[in-house]
Amino acid sequence: MANKQQLSTIKTLKQLDEAIANLDRDFDANKAKLKADYEYVKLFYSPVNLYNYILDKVSPSFNLIGLSLDLYDRLSERYAEFTAKRRARAAQKVQPAEGKAIDEAVSEGTVAGEPAEN
């Protein structure tokens, strides 16, 4: 960019046109730089990029694989407990029909009242 001293030395119309052209080039260069900086900042501060940046800074502090495995183990244990409770509730709901007794031989694993084969 031309400084004041250079602009004060302009004596002809040709020199003035050259100075204006130089200022226009400087202005366009600064405008392009600002536009590129704006696009960079806009992309950098997007929610996804901020999340990734923070995760990148925090992740060395944690063993993410270990935490993931621990979480998986806890969830699978809770799921097993849930299914066991659900099966227990379903078993409690199954009752014999009124007036009919359950044949103990059948409930012990025999067919049609015959003793089980060992």
Side-chain angles (χ1 to χ4, degrees), residues 39-50:
E39 290 299 323
Y40 172 76
V41 167
K42 188 169 116 177
L43 290 173
F44 182 78
Y45 289 106
S46 68
V48 171
N49 200 27
L50 283 176

Side-chain angles (χ1 to χ4, degrees), residues 106-118:
V106 173
S107 65
E108 291 176 359
T110 61
V111 178
E114 298 176 13
E117 295 180 24
N118 290 334

Side-chain angles (χ1 to χ4, degrees), residues 49-68:
N49 200 27
L50 283 176
Y51 174 76
N52 287 334
Y53 178 77
I54 291 169
L55 186 63
D56 185 46
K57 295 297 180 187
V58 172
S59 65
S61 303
F62 299 104
N63 180 1
L64 293 179
I65 295 173
L67 290 173
S68 300

Side-chain angles (χ1 to χ4, degrees), residues 6-21:
Q6 290 175 337
L7 294 177
S8 65
T9 61
I10 296 175
K11 303 287 184 208
T12 66
L13 191 55
K14 183 179 177 181
Q15 290 175 338
L16 180 61
D17 288 339
E18 289 174 0
I20 290 173

